[in-house]
Structures are given as C-alpha cells and as structure tokens.
Amino acid sequence: MDLSTRYLGLSLRNPLLASASPLSHTVDGVRRLADAGVAAVVLYSLFEEQLRREAEHNQRMASQGSESYAESLSYFPPHSGESGGGQRYLRLVERAAATVDIPVIASLNASTPGSWARYAGRMQDAGAAAIEVNIYYLPGDTGVDCSAVERRHLDVLAAVKSATTVPVAVKLSPYFSATADMVHRLDAAGADGLVLFNRFLQPDIDPETLSTVRTITLSTPTDTRLPLTWIALLRGRIRASLAASTGVEHAADVAKYLLAGADVVQSASALLRHGPEYAGVLLRGLSDWMSRKGFQTLDEVRGLLAAPSAEDSASRERADYVWALRKANYGLYESY
C-alpha cells in the first residue's frame, strides 16, 4: 500500500500530519509523533504578540546605554515570562529538525503584518522545512470593512514570503463573504498551501457565576463538514496544496478528507485525546480501508468525490441544500 504524497512541494511518507498543539512543545514530543508515524510535525505556534513584546523588551535593554556597568544589570526592566520566547522557539526548531527524519514545519500565529515576520527567515535558518501562518483575526470592529480584512491576510502572507524562501502555508478561517475568492487571491499571492480551517475561540457564559468561560474545546468528527465542503469545491481550482484540519477522530475522517481532495490531513485533537501513538491507529485504519476498497495509491483516492471542475459550485451547493431539505421534510412527513 502506497501512502506517499506531496504537500507544499515536500515529499511525505503518508498524508497524516500532526498539527500545532502542546504535543510539539518539546523535542521529545516531536520525536514521539515522528516515531508514531506522522509524515510531518507542525510545531506549536509562536505568537505575534510574543515577538512584539520581546522586541520591546530588547529595545528597553538597549536604551540603558552602552556605558552601564555590569553591576547595573540588576536594574534592568523585569524580564517577563514570555520574553525570550523567540529564541527558545528557534532552538526547538533546530533541535527537532536535527532529531527526526521528517519535515518540521514552524508555525506563526498572527493577525497583523509587521516586523515580527522576520522570524520566518530565522525559523528557516534553524531548519524549518516550511512555515505555517495561522492568521487568527476576528473582525469585531464595526468600522473595519471586508476589503480591509482581506487585505490584512494578503499583507501578512506577503510579509512572511518576503522573509523566507521555504514554502509558506496559510491557515485561515471560513468566515469570509467570498471564501473561494479569498483562497484564489492567497493562491495568486504565492501561498504554497492552504490549511482549512482555523477554529476561533467561542467563549461560553456561566449564568451562575455571571462570568465568561474561555476554554478551548477539542474538535469532533461533526466539525469536518465545513472543511470537507470547501476542499471538495476547491480541489483542482488552485495551484496551492490543500491541507484539511479539524474533526479527525477516526481513519474514516482521514479517508473523507482525501476523497474530497485534500493533499494532507492534520490532526491535533485525536492525538491529544489518545496520545501521539494514536497516529499509527489512524494510518493502519486508512490502509485497511484502502485495501477493502481496492485502492493501491493515494492518487486513486484523492479528489474522487471533489466537485467537477466544470461545475458551477454555487449551483451545486444550492442544489444539494434543496435536496437535503426536501429529503428531511419527506422523512418527517413519513414519520407521522
């Protein structure tokens, strides 16, 4: 069974990637993921805010003056817990890349273009095979129009691309007025891959304590529906690689994404629930499924159920919607 594939121009032994999560906070964590069989590891995200604070801290240190005596070091501004995060991250990239025989993909989480983007080049120098840019921006300001939101994404991509020569993938949200157009514009702007999709924090409310509850919830298979829809619609319509993210719990979820047209499938929640070794369970399940269906290579699977390239995607989505509602209504009528 041949599970090999390509993503971002990289040759991979299979389509399963470990997406950014606490599992890749350490070299040992990266090693465990590689030993479990994943084809590449996306390191945990380094945040734009961390890099900005670090730059501000370094600027304050430099402003103390070059003629200060060593004894005055104790009077420097307090070193925040997050300062130095950039250097620690670069050391992790370097050590992880030297330890495992699979690509290590660095991750930058950003919402605005800026000087922080230079870290992409430093990540490349440290050994990152590619950069994944997680553009996490929820435009809650009523004064920001859709064109400004779209321009921000393109500017962030341009900033990172200008700082590096390795492939760059963009992880974006599905909340655009015209998602397909945004994807095409990112593709035209040089994105080597698109990761669909990011999941925004959705706070809950505790009516007893009258407080907002900010928690991260792990994804479930029901979360695959939206990425599945867009991957099926985009397959064959863009140059960039397509990575599926969100909702992978079983081998069947990996198969669904491949049938829709994904080049690779990323998983975090399942590996967090069951441990890094669960990657082997997913891959064995995928191989078993392919064997049962008579598939020998991923090329035979990928995009088999994607939307035909000549088809009007909007019309197809509308037709599927009407068909599903009519079926649901008919079933409800029959139950009486």
Side-chain angles (χ1 to χ4, degrees):
M1 191 66 61
D2 183 7
L3 296 182
S4 63
T5 189
R6 290 183 65 80
Y7 174 59
L8 305 178
L10 305 172
S11 296
L12 304 179
R13 61 192 185 190
N14 65 65
L16 184 63
L17 275 60
S19 54
S21 80
L23 293 173
S24 56
H25 265 260
T26 64
V27 174
D28 183 62
V30 174
R31 184 190 296 111
R32 289 180 64 193
L33 289 165
D35 290 346
V38 300
V41 175
V42 182
L43 297 182
Y44 76 95
S45 293
L46 183 61
F47 287 79
E48 167 192 340
E49 290 81 359
Q50 290 175 274
L51 296 174
R52 290 187 187 279
R53 279 195 287 269
E54 185 172 324
E56 292 168 1
H57 171 80
N58 292 338
Q59 187 174 11
R60 288 197 302 270
M61 295 282 281
S63 68
Q64 299 299 316
S66 59
E67 297 180 0
S68 298
Y69 291 99
E71 292 84 350
S72 69
L73 289 174
S74 60
Y75 297 102
F76 282 165
H79 203 276
S80 72
E82 292 190 78
S83 292
Q87 291 301 318
R88 286 196 298 273
Y89 196 92
L90 294 175
R91 288 195 295 270
L92 173 62
V93 173
E94 184 175 20
R95 292 175 58 205
T99 299
V100 299
D101 61 353
I102 59 174
V104 172
I105 300 174
S107 175
L108 278 167
N109 189 303
S111 63
T112 61
S115 59
W116 57 266
R118 71 179 184 275
Y119 265 82
R122 300 179 68 179
M123 290 170 171
Q124 173 181 329
D125 293 341
I131 309 294
E132 181 176 289
V133 186
N134 186 339
I135 304 180
Y136 189 103
Y137 175 59
L138 184 62
D141 186 347
T142 57
V144 178
D145 63 23
C146 60
S147 61
V149 174
E150 294 167 355
R151 171 49 55 188
R152 179 182 294 229
H153 283 69
L154 294 167
D155 288 346
V156 168
L157 172 62
V160 176
K161 290 286 289 185
S162 68
T164 184
T165 58
V166 295
V168 176
V170 177
K171 189 172 187 177
L172 71 162
S173 85
Y175 303 118
F176 293 95
S177 57
T179 300
D181 178 67
M182 187 72 253
V183 167
H184 276 279
R185 293 172 67 186
L186 289 166
D187 184 42
D192 298 284
L194 283 303
V195 184
L196 309 180
F197 285 111
N198 193 357
R199 298 171 67 225
F200 284 132
L201 174 67
Q202 297 176 337
D204 200 357
I205 290 179
D206 187 331
E208 295 301 323
T209 62
L210 306 181
S211 62
T212 300
V213 181
R214 298 178 178 87
T215 58
I216 300 295
T217 57
L218 299 181
S219 66
T220 66
T222 57
D223 295 317
T224 62
R225 297 293 185 85
L226 190 58
L228 272 175
T229 299
W230 279 109
I231 289 171
L233 292 173
L234 293 170
R235 178 69 191 178
R237 291 175 167 86
I238 60 173
R239 172 197 55 83
S241 299
L242 288 170
S245 178
T246 300
V248 175
E249 179 66 20
H250 308 290
D253 302 314
V254 180
K256 288 178 183 179
Y257 274 134
L258 293 171
L259 286 167
D263 293 292
V264 295
V265 179
Q266 296 190 4
S267 177
S269 294
L271 301 180
L272 285 168
R273 285 194 188 96
H274 308 293
E277 294 71 25
Y278 190 67
V281 175
L282 293 173
L283 290 169
R284 286 191 295 274
L286 176 63
S287 293
D288 290 345
W289 171 81
M290 289 177 62
S291 179
R292 285 191 292 107
K293 297 299 180 182
F295 297 119
Q296 295 299 316
T297 69
L298 287 187
D299 286 339
E300 298 174 60
V301 177
R302 187 179 294 107
L304 191 62
L305 297 182
S309 57
E311 187 174 335
D312 181 344
S313 58
S315 296
R316 172 186 169 162
E317 180 65 20
R318 177 72 181 175
D320 288 347
Y321 167 70
V322 173
W323 181 89
L325 285 182
R326 292 185 64 182
K327 181 180 178 182
N329 289 335
Y330 181 77
L332 182 63
Y333 174 79
E334 285 290 296
S335 67
Y336 281 98

